[in-house]
């Protein structure tokens, strides 16, 4: 079975609708998205504490910053690599929250092998691989690819094409993919071995129907659901 | 044992600090507070689905609105009684989110006995009982007190004095109290039978120490912890 997916165009429209007629602020949505990422991390790697969060310049990066905060409060030890800071107030505030928790912002990846897990929140569904991956993220991805550290990717594996999957220069296949709102087409191109979670428990049945996505059968108060390809 | 508590004055200062040097927006904090309330509801009453949320005009009411959204998405059937709408954009947006999920806003409490559970998010720690409880909330509370429906109170039982506890005209003793950030002094005045949860998993050790409150031993990815008086 393949996943019902949300194209990049529809994903952008869905985000836009959530934040206009949906009444959500980006603060709320990012909080819930980041929480979903943190929960998927906890479910997938309950024993790994030293987490490196690779943060890109856009909203995908913001999801990673929120996830790092939750993980720290849950007893993990996240460090942040965030080479292209956003100057938007929301992002600066997320940085403040992390610094108040004594979360380390590292300035190079020289010690990458000290980490047990990498959270890839570099690029999201709006990344276009046609122009290549701009520095420093091209090198960041190559540095990660030289390691065997497990990777959890936020929404799409960074550097991949949202529709067609892996592109030369992109991240190696992640161990875990956390699709936000709903899987993107790229989810049907990841390895069968990749654990796939969906985190979109902020949308209701009418919204799911309008966008042609599944209403997932989340459990209890979980913000994520592990999907199966079977 | 009694709970280490946060006085009303310190609770206001803590909120203020979280939203200034803490870098949190009210959207984020309310989202996490409402999520904690919803989780405590799920843990306390997993089988009760028809929930009436009584929403006051301030931030305590906003926590209830957020909780109602999560509960609906978790399979509950919440209805909202919200006689004094806030005109603040955040609150109007929370209403929009609920209406998009087809959550009913009821205009009277005539059918109160149809509900299995009442969430009391009328007044929070800044309520002062000296001036009496203003309409329509005085009557709302008396209407609730004539029922035997279980009550879950958000942060403090409505109409009570945050320091001294029950005041004539206040809500009957709640079955569950969800203290947000940390217990207020009123938590030491509730019945021994009341289940008491704390939901403050957005603050770190330094912050807790500064305000003289406990760093609670939350589990897994829970946003709440059940406290014991033993």
């Amino acid at each position: 079975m393949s996943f019902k997916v949300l194209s990049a165009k529809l994903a952008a429209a869905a985000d836009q609708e959530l934040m206009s007629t949906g009444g959500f602020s980006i603060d709320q949505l990012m909080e819930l998205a980041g929480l979903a990422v943190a929960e998927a991390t906890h479910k997938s790697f309950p024993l790994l504490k030293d987490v490196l969060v690779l943060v890109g310049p856009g909203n995908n990066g913001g999801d990673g910053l929120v996830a790092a905060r939750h993980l720290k409060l849950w007893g993990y030890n996240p460090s942040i690599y965030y080479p292209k800071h956003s100057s938007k107030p929301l992002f600066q505030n997320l940085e403040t929250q992390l610094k108040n928790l004594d979360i380390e912002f590292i300035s190079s990846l020289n010690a990458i092998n000290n980490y047990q897990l990498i959270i890839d929140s570099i690029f999201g569904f709006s990344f276009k691989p046609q122009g290549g991956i701009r520095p420093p993220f091209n090198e960041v991805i190559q540095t990660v690819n030289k390691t065997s550290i497990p990777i959890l990717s936020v929404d799409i594996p960074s550097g991949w094409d949202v529709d067609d999957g892996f592109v030369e220069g992109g991240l190696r296949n992640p161990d875990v993919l956390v699709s936000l709102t709903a899987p993107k087409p790229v989810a049907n191109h990841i390895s069968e071995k990749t654990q796939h979670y969906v985190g979109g428990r902020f949308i209701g049945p009418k919204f799911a129907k309008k966008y042609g996505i599944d209403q997932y059968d989340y459990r209890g108060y979980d913000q994520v659901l592990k999907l199966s390809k079977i």
Side-chain angles (χ1 to χ4, degrees), chain A:
Chain A
M1 164 194 131
S2 63
F3 303 111
K4 261 198 201 173
V5 297
L6 199 54
S7 70
K9 193 175 165 185
L10 275 180
D15 271 6
Q16 190 50 48
E17 176 166 339
L18 285 168
M19 290 190 280
S20 54
T21 53
F24 281 90
S25 70
I26 188 164
D27 301 39
Q28 284 169 335
L29 286 175
M30 198 170 278
E31 191 63 32
L32 294 172
L35 181 65
V37 170
E39 274 192 26
T41 304
H42 187 275
K43 284 176 182 285
S44 309
F45 303 104
L47 302 178
L48 304 185
K49 297 302 178 198
D50 295 323
V51 181
L52 174 61
V53 186
L54 301 174
V55 178
N59 287 348
N60 200 260
D63 299 338
L65 293 173
V66 172
R69 166 161 44 82
H70 287 294
L71 287 169
K72 177 74 176 189
L73 290 164
W74 301 353
Y76 287 76
N77 182 28
S79 295
I80 311 286
Y81 185 66
Y82 185 27
K84 293 277 184 191
H85 294 230
S86 169
S87 61
K88 290 182 186 169
L90 170 58
F91 288 78
Q92 296 199 321
N93 284 335
L94 291 174
E95 277 192 64
T96 297
Q97 293 162 25
L98 297 173
K99 287 171 181 165
N100 284 342
L101 291 171
D102 295 326
I103 293 174
E104 189 187 16
F105 283 69
I106 61 173
S107 55
S108 92
L109 295 181
N110 290 342
I112 192 168
N113 284 305
N114 290 347
Y115 297 97
Q116 301 171 301
L117 173 65
I118 289 170
I119 294 182
D120 154 35
S121 57
I122 302 177
F123 300 130
F125 65 77
S126 59
F127 172 78
K128 292 181 179 56
Q130 288 77 10
I133 301 172
R134 274 185 281 188
F137 297 108
N138 54 353
E139 287 190 14
V140 169
I141 288 172
Q142 293 321 308
T143 301
V144 173
N145 284 348
K146 282 177 201 148
T147 73
S148 57
I149 304 167
I151 298 171
L152 179 146
S153 281
V154 177
D155 211 28
I156 80 166
S158 291
W160 293 34
D161 184 281
V162 65
D163 291 320
D164 300 329
F166 180 78
V167 174
E168 199 60 46
L171 199 70
R172 62 181 157 82
N173 190 87
D175 301 81
V176 179
L177 176 67
V178 186
S179 294
L180 295 171
T181 309
K184 312 302 173 299
V186 72
N188 287 317
H189 295 277
I190 57 174
S191 157
E192 294 282 331
K193 290 180 186 164
T194 299
Q195 294 189 48
H196 184 194
Y197 289 84
V198 64
R201 207 175 188 179
F202 41 85
I203 61 172
K206 282 196 298 191
F207 190 93
K209 192 174 176 192
K210 176 172 177 181
Y211 284 91
I213 53 183
D214 288 318
Q215 179 78 353
Y216 292 100
D217 185 25
Y218 295 95
R219 305 297 160 82
Y221 50 89
D222 284 359
Q223 294 293 317
V224 293
L225 176 70
K226 191 171 175 180
L227 301 178
S228 165
K229 283 202 171 181
I230 300 163

